[in-house]
CSV table of all heavy atoms in Angstrom, one decimal:
chain,number,residue,atom,x,y,z
A,1,PRO,N,6.2,12.4,81.7
A,1,PRO,CA,5.1,13.0,80.9
A,1,PRO,C,5.6,14.3,80.2
A,1,PRO,O,6.3,15.1,80.8
A,1,PRO,CB,4.1,13.3,81.9
A,1,PRO,CG,4.3,12.3,83.0
A,1,PRO,CD,5.8,12.2,83.1
A,2,ILE,N,5.2,14.5,79.0
A,2,ILE,CA,5.6,15.6,78.2
A,2,ILE,C,5.1,16.9,78.8
A,2,ILE,O,5.7,18.0,78.8
A,2,ILE,CB,5.2,15.5,76.7
A,2,ILE,CG1,5.9,16.5,75.8
A,2,ILE,CG2,3.6,15.6,76.6
A,2,ILE,CD1,5.6,16.3,74.4
A,3,ARG,N,3.9,16.8,79.4
A,3,ARG,CA,3.3,18.0,80.1
A,3,ARG,C,4.2,18.5,81.2
A,3,ARG,O,4.4,19.7,81.4
A,3,ARG,CB,1.9,17.7,80.6
A,3,ARG,CG,1.2,18.9,81.2
A,3,ARG,CD,-0.2,18.5,81.8
A,3,ARG,NE,-1.1,18.2,80.7
A,3,ARG,CZ,-1.8,19.2,80.1
A,3,ARG,NH1,-1.7,20.5,80.5
A,3,ARG,NH2,-2.6,18.9,79.1
A,4,GLN,N,4.8,17.6,82.0
A,4,GLN,CA,5.6,18.0,83.1
A,4,GLN,C,6.9,18.7,82.6
A,4,GLN,O,7.4,19.7,83.2
A,4,GLN,CB,6.0,16.8,83.9
A,4,GLN,CG,4.9,16.2,84.8
A,4,GLN,CD,5.4,15.1,85.7
A,4,GLN,OE1,6.6,14.9,85.9
A,4,GLN,NE2,4.4,14.4,86.3
A,5,VAL,N,7.5,18.2,81.5
A,5,VAL,CA,8.7,18.9,80.9
A,5,VAL,C,8.3,20.3,80.5
A,5,VAL,O,9.1,21.3,80.8
A,5,VAL,CB,9.2,18.1,79.7
A,5,VAL,CG1,10.4,18.8,79.1
A,5,VAL,CG2,9.6,16.7,80.2
A,6,ILE,N,7.2,20.5,79.8
A,6,ILE,CA,6.8,21.8,79.4
A,6,ILE,C,6.5,22.7,80.6
A,6,ILE,O,6.9,23.9,80.6
A,6,ILE,CB,5.5,21.7,78.5
A,6,ILE,CG1,5.9,20.9,77.2
A,6,ILE,CG2,5.0,23.1,78.1
A,6,ILE,CD1,4.7,20.6,76.4
A,7,THR,N,5.7,22.2,81.6
A,7,THR,CA,5.4,23.0,82.7
A,7,THR,C,6.7,23.4,83.5
A,7,THR,O,6.7,24.6,84.0
A,7,THR,CB,4.5,22.2,83.7
A,7,THR,OG1,3.3,21.8,83.0
A,7,THR,CG2,4.1,23.0,84.9
A,8,ALA,N,7.7,22.5,83.6
A,8,ALA,CA,8.9,22.9,84.3
A,8,ALA,C,9.6,24.0,83.6
A,8,ALA,O,10.2,24.9,84.3
A,8,ALA,CB,9.8,21.7,84.5
A,9,GLU,N,9.7,24.0,82.3
A,9,GLU,CA,10.4,25.0,81.6
A,9,GLU,C,9.7,26.4,81.6
A,9,GLU,O,10.4,27.5,81.5
A,9,GLU,CB,10.7,24.6,80.2
A,9,GLU,CG,11.6,23.3,80.1
A,9,GLU,CD,13.0,23.6,80.7
A,9,GLU,OE1,13.4,24.8,80.8
A,9,GLU,OE2,13.7,22.6,81.1
A,10,LEU,N,8.4,26.4,81.6
A,10,LEU,CA,7.6,27.6,81.5
A,10,LEU,C,7.1,28.1,82.9
A,10,LEU,O,6.4,29.1,82.9
A,10,LEU,CB,6.4,27.4,80.6
A,10,LEU,CG,6.7,27.1,79.1
A,10,LEU,CD1,5.4,27.0,78.3
A,10,LEU,CD2,7.6,28.2,78.5
A,11,ALA,N,7.5,27.4,83.9
A,11,ALA,CA,7.1,27.8,85.3
A,11,ALA,C,7.4,29.2,85.6
A,11,ALA,O,6.6,29.9,86.2
A,11,ALA,CB,7.6,26.8,86.3
A,12,PRO,N,8.6,29.7,85.3
A,12,PRO,CA,9.0,31.1,85.8
A,12,PRO,C,8.1,32.1,85.1
A,12,PRO,O,7.9,33.2,85.7
A,12,PRO,CB,10.4,31.2,85.3
A,12,PRO,CG,11.0,29.8,85.2
A,12,PRO,CD,9.8,29.0,84.8
A,13,TYR,N,7.5,31.8,84.0
A,13,TYR,CA,6.7,32.8,83.2
A,13,TYR,C,5.2,32.7,83.5
A,13,TYR,O,4.4,33.5,83.1
A,13,TYR,CB,6.9,32.7,81.7
A,13,TYR,CG,8.4,32.6,81.4
A,13,TYR,CD1,9.0,31.4,81.0
A,13,TYR,CD2,9.2,33.7,81.5
A,13,TYR,CE1,10.3,31.3,80.7
A,13,TYR,CE2,10.6,33.6,81.2
A,13,TYR,CZ,11.1,32.4,80.8
A,13,TYR,OH,12.5,32.3,80.5
A,14,ALA,N,4.9,31.6,84.3
A,14,ALA,CA,3.4,31.4,84.6
A,14,ALA,C,3.1,32.0,85.9
A,14,ALA,O,1.9,32.1,86.3
A,14,ALA,CB,3.1,30.0,84.6
A,15,GLN,N,4.1,32.5,86.7
A,15,GLN,CA,3.8,33.0,88.0
A,15,GLN,C,3.5,34.5,88.1
A,15,GLN,O,2.9,34.9,89.0
A,15,GLN,CB,5.1,32.7,88.9
A,15,GLN,CG,5.3,31.2,89.1
A,15,GLN,CD,6.6,30.9,89.8
A,15,GLN,OE1,7.3,31.9,90.2
A,15,GLN,NE2,6.9,29.6,90.0
A,16,ASP,N,4.0,35.3,87.1
A,16,ASP,CA,3.8,36.7,87.2
A,16,ASP,C,2.4,37.1,86.8
A,16,ASP,O,1.9,38.2,87.1
A,16,ASP,CB,4.8,37.5,86.4
A,16,ASP,CG,4.8,37.0,84.9
A,16,ASP,OD1,3.9,36.3,84.5
A,16,ASP,OD2,5.8,37.3,84.2
A,17,GLY,N,1.6,36.3,86.1
A,17,GLY,CA,0.3,36.6,85.7
A,17,GLY,C,0.1,37.6,84.6
A,17,GLY,O,-1.0,38.0,84.2
A,18,GLU,N,1.2,38.1,84.0
A,18,GLU,CA,1.1,39.0,82.9
A,18,GLU,C,1.0,38.4,81.5
A,18,GLU,O,0.7,39.1,80.6
A,18,GLU,CB,2.4,39.9,82.9
A,18,GLU,CG,2.5,40.8,84.2
A,18,GLU,CD,3.7,41.7,84.2
A,18,GLU,OE1,4.5,41.5,83.3
A,18,GLU,OE2,3.8,42.5,85.1
A,19,ASN,N,1.4,37.1,81.4
A,19,ASN,CA,1.3,36.4,80.2
A,19,ASN,C,0.3,35.3,80.2
A,19,ASN,O,0.0,34.8,81.3
A,19,ASN,CB,2.7,35.9,79.8
A,19,ASN,CG,3.8,37.0,79.8
A,19,ASN,OD1,4.6,37.1,80.7
A,19,ASN,ND2,3.7,37.9,78.8
A,20,VAL,N,0.0,34.8,79.0
A,20,VAL,CA,-1.0,33.7,78.9
A,20,VAL,C,-0.2,32.5,78.3
A,20,VAL,O,0.4,32.6,77.2
A,20,VAL,CB,-2.2,34.1,78.0
A,20,VAL,CG1,-3.1,32.9,77.9
A,20,VAL,CG2,-2.9,35.3,78.5
A,21,LEU,N,-0.3,31.4,79.0
A,21,LEU,CA,0.3,30.1,78.6
A,21,LEU,C,-0.8,29.1,78.3
A,21,LEU,O,-1.6,28.9,79.2
A,21,LEU,CB,1.3,29.6,79.6
A,21,LEU,CG,2.4,30.5,80.1
A,21,LEU,CD1,3.3,29.8,81.1
A,21,LEU,CD2,3.3,30.8,78.8
A,22,GLN,N,-0.8,28.6,77.1
A,22,GLN,CA,-1.8,27.6,76.7
A,22,GLN,C,-1.1,26.3,76.5
A,22,GLN,O,-0.3,26.2,75.6
A,22,GLN,CB,-2.6,28.1,75.5
A,22,GLN,CG,-3.4,29.4,75.7
A,22,GLN,CD,-4.0,29.8,74.4
A,22,GLN,OE1,-3.8,29.3,73.3
A,22,GLN,NE2,-4.9,30.9,74.5
A,23,LEU,N,-1.5,25.3,77.3
A,23,LEU,CA,-0.9,23.9,77.1
A,23,LEU,C,-2.0,23.0,76.8
A,23,LEU,O,-3.0,22.9,77.5
A,23,LEU,CB,-0.2,23.5,78.4
A,23,LEU,CG,0.9,24.4,79.0
A,23,LEU,CD1,1.5,23.8,80.2
A,23,LEU,CD2,1.9,24.7,77.9
A,24,GLU,N,-1.9,22.2,75.7
A,24,GLU,CA,-3.0,21.3,75.3
A,24,GLU,C,-2.4,20.1,74.6
A,24,GLU,O,-1.5,20.2,73.7
A,24,GLU,CB,-3.9,22.0,74.4
A,24,GLU,CG,-5.1,21.2,73.9
A,24,GLU,CD,-6.0,22.0,73.0
A,24,GLU,OE1,-5.9,23.2,72.9
A,24,GLU,OE2,-6.8,21.3,72.3
A,25,GLY,N,-2.8,18.9,75.0
A,25,GLY,CA,-2.4,17.7,74.4
A,25,GLY,C,-2.6,16.4,75.2
A,25,GLY,O,-3.0,16.5,76.4
A,26,PRO,N,-2.5,15.3,74.6
A,26,PRO,CA,-2.8,14.0,75.3
A,26,PRO,C,-1.6,13.6,76.2
A,26,PRO,O,-0.6,14.2,76.2
A,26,PRO,CB,-3.0,13.0,74.1
A,26,PRO,CG,-2.1,13.5,73.1
A,26,PRO,CD,-2.2,15.0,73.1
A,27,GLU,N,-1.9,12.5,76.9
A,27,GLU,CA,-0.8,12.0,77.8
A,27,GLU,C,0.2,11.3,76.9
A,27,GLU,O,-0.1,10.4,76.1
A,27,GLU,CB,-1.4,11.0,78.8
A,27,GLU,CG,-2.3,11.6,79.8
A,27,GLU,CD,-1.5,12.5,80.8
A,27,GLU,OE1,-0.3,12.2,81.0
A,27,GLU,OE2,-2.1,13.5,81.3
A,28,VAL,N,1.5,11.8,77.0
A,28,VAL,CA,2.6,11.2,76.2
A,28,VAL,C,3.7,11.1,77.1
A,28,VAL,O,4.1,12.1,77.8
A,28,VAL,CB,2.9,12.1,75.0
A,28,VAL,CG1,4.1,11.5,74.2
A,28,VAL,CG2,1.7,12.2,74.0
A,29,GLU,N,4.4,9.9,77.1
A,29,GLU,CA,5.6,9.7,77.9
A,29,GLU,C,6.8,9.7,77.1
A,29,GLU,O,6.9,9.1,76.0
A,29,GLU,CB,5.4,8.3,78.6
A,29,GLU,CG,4.2,8.1,79.5
A,29,GLU,CD,4.3,8.9,80.8
A,29,GLU,OE1,5.5,9.1,81.2
A,29,GLU,OE2,3.3,9.2,81.4
A,30,LEU,N,7.8,10.4,77.6
A,30,LEU,CA,9.1,10.6,76.9
A,30,LEU,C,10.2,9.8,77.6
A,30,LEU,O,10.3,9.7,78.8
A,30,LEU,CB,9.5,12.1,76.8
A,30,LEU,CG,8.5,13.0,76.1
A,30,LEU,CD1,9.1,14.4,76.1
A,30,LEU,CD2,8.2,12.5,74.7
A,31,ALA,N,11.1,9.3,76.8
A,31,ALA,CA,12.3,8.6,77.3
A,31,ALA,C,13.3,9.6,77.9
A,31,ALA,O,13.2,10.8,77.6
A,31,ALA,CB,13.0,7.8,76.2
A,32,PRO,N,14.2,9.2,78.8
A,32,PRO,CA,15.0,10.2,79.5
A,32,PRO,C,15.8,11.1,78.6
A,32,PRO,O,15.8,12.3,78.7
A,32,PRO,CB,16.0,9.3,80.3
A,32,PRO,CG,15.2,8.1,80.6
A,32,PRO,CD,14.4,7.9,79.3
A,33,ASN,N,16.6,10.6,77.6
A,33,ASN,CA,17.4,11.4,76.7
A,33,ASN,C,16.5,12.3,75.9
A,33,ASN,O,16.9,13.5,75.6
A,33,ASN,CB,18.3,10.5,75.8
A,33,ASN,CG,19.4,9.9,76.6
A,33,ASN,OD1,19.8,10.3,77.7
A,33,ASN,ND2,19.9,8.8,76.0
A,34,ASP,N,15.4,11.8,75.4
A,34,ASP,CA,14.5,12.7,74.6
A,34,ASP,C,13.9,13.8,75.5
A,34,ASP,O,13.7,14.9,75.0
A,34,ASP,CB,13.4,11.8,74.1
A,34,ASP,CG,13.9,10.7,73.1
A,34,ASP,OD1,15.0,10.9,72.5
A,34,ASP,OD2,13.2,9.7,73.0
A,35,ALA,N,13.6,13.5,76.8
A,35,ALA,CA,13.1,14.6,77.6
A,35,ALA,C,14.2,15.6,77.9
A,35,ALA,O,13.8,16.8,77.9
A,35,ALA,CB,12.7,13.9,79.0
A,36,LEU,N,15.4,15.3,78.0
A,36,LEU,CA,16.5,16.3,78.2
A,36,LEU,C,16.6,17.2,76.9
A,36,LEU,O,16.7,18.4,77.1
A,36,LEU,CB,17.8,15.5,78.4
A,36,LEU,CG,18.1,14.9,79.8
A,36,LEU,CD1,19.3,14.1,79.8
A,36,LEU,CD2,18.1,16.0,80.9
A,37,SER,N,16.6,16.6,75.8
A,37,SER,CA,16.8,17.4,74.5
A,37,SER,C,15.5,18.2,74.3
A,37,SER,O,15.7,19.4,74.0
A,37,SER,CB,17.0,16.4,73.3
A,37,SER,OG,18.1,15.6,73.5
A,38,PHE,N,14.4,17.7,74.6
A,38,PHE,CA,13.1,18.4,74.4
A,38,PHE,C,13.1,19.6,75.4
A,38,PHE,O,12.7,20.7,75.1
A,38,PHE,CB,11.9,17.5,74.6
A,38,PHE,CG,10.6,18.2,74.4
A,38,PHE,CD1,10.2,18.8,73.2
A,38,PHE,CD2,9.7,18.3,75.5
A,38,PHE,CE1,9.0,19.4,73.1
A,38,PHE,CE2,8.5,19.0,75.4
A,38,PHE,CZ,8.1,19.5,74.2
A,39,GLY,N,13.5,19.3,76.7
A,39,GLY,CA,13.5,20.4,77.7
A,39,GLY,C,14.5,21.5,77.3
A,39,GLY,O,14.2,22.7,77.5
A,40,LEU,N,15.6,21.1,76.7
A,40,LEU,CA,16.6,22.1,76.3
A,40,LEU,C,16.0,23.0,75.2
A,40,LEU,O,16.2,24.2,75.2
A,40,LEU,CB,17.9,21.4,75.8
A,40,LEU,CG,19.1,22.3,75.6
A,40,LEU,CD1,19.5,23.1,76.9
A,40,LEU,CD2,20.3,21.5,75.1
A,41,ALA,N,15.3,22.4,74.2
A,41,ALA,CA,14.7,23.2,73.1
A,41,ALA,C,13.7,24.2,73.7
A,41,ALA,O,13.6,25.3,73.3
A,41,ALA,CB,14.1,22.2,72.1
A,42,LEU,N,12.8,23.7,74.7
A,42,LEU,CA,11.8,24.6,75.2
A,42,LEU,C,12.5,25.7,76.0
A,42,LEU,O,12.0,26.9,76.0
A,42,LEU,CB,10.9,23.8,76.2
A,42,LEU,CG,9.9,22.8,75.6
A,42,LEU,CD1,9.1,22.1,76.6
A,42,LEU,CD2,9.0,23.5,74.6
A,43,HIS,N,13.6,25.4,76.7
A,43,HIS,CA,14.3,26.5,77.4
A,43,HIS,C,14.7,27.6,76.4
A,43,HIS,O,14.6,28.8,76.7
A,43,HIS,CB,15.5,25.9,78.1
A,43,HIS,CG,16.4,27.0,78.7
A,43,HIS,ND1,16.0,27.7,79.9
A,43,HIS,CD2,17.6,27.5,78.3
A,43,HIS,CE1,17.0,28.6,80.1
A,43,HIS,NE2,17.9,28.4,79.2
A,44,GLU,N,15.3,27.2,75.3
A,44,GLU,CA,15.7,28.2,74.3
A,44,GLU,C,14.6,29.0,73.8
A,44,GLU,O,14.7,30.2,73.6
A,44,GLU,CB,16.5,27.5,73.2
A,44,GLU,CG,17.8,26.9,73.6
A,44,GLU,CD,18.8,27.9,74.2
A,44,GLU,OE1,18.8,29.1,73.8
A,44,GLU,OE2,19.5,27.5,75.2
A,45,LEU,N,13.5,28.3,73.5
A,45,LEU,CA,12.3,29.0,72.9
A,45,LEU,C,11.7,30.0,74.0
A,45,LEU,O,11.3,31.1,73.7
A,45,LEU,CB,11.2,28.0,72.5
A,45,LEU,CG,11.6,27.1,71.3
A,45,LEU,CD1,10.5,26.1,71.1
A,45,LEU,CD2,11.6,28.0,70.0
A,46,ALA,N,11.7,29.5,75.2
A,46,ALA,CA,11.1,30.4,76.3
A,46,ALA,C,12.0,31.5,76.6
A,46,ALA,O,11.6,32.7,76.8
A,46,ALA,CB,10.9,29.5,77.6
A,47,THR,N,13.4,31.3,76.6
A,47,THR,CA,14.3,32.4,76.8
A,47,THR,C,14.2,33.5,75.7
A,47,THR,O,14.2,34.7,75.9
A,47,THR,CB,15.7,31.9,76.9
A,47,THR,OG1,15.8,30.9,77.9
A,47,THR,CG2,16.7,33.0,77.1
A,48,ASN,N,14.1,33.0,74.4
A,48,ASN,CA,14.0,33.9,73.3
A,48,ASN,C,12.7,34.7,73.4
A,48,ASN,O,12.6,35.9,73.1
A,48,ASN,CB,14.0,33.1,72.0
A,48,ASN,CG,14.0,34.0,70.8
A,48,ASN,OD1,14.9,34.7,70.5
A,48,ASN,ND2,12.8,34.1,70.1
């Protein structure tokens, strides 16, 4: 599920309570390679 990939990458920033994370969207399933690439993009955006 795309929500799990997003939640896994933003998990470190959702625990301190100082920031607001808004996640919204339907149930979408990603293929393995697409999930890896998408997760890597989210990691770069979250790190920046």
Side-chain angles (χ1 to χ4, degrees):
I2 193 171
R3 180 183 290 274
Q4 289 188 10
V5 178
I6 297 172
T7 301
E9 295 299 338
L10 297 181
Y13 312 105
Q15 296 175 359
D16 55 14
E18 295 180 352
N19 304 106
V20 179
L21 301 178
Q22 298 176 352
L23 307 181
E24 181 181 344
E27 292 293 329
V28 177
E29 301 285 336
L30 300 181
N33 288 340
D34 299 332
L36 286 172
S37 301
F38 179 65
L40 191 59
L42 289 179
H43 172 74
E44 293 301 327
L45 291 172
T47 300
N48 183 72

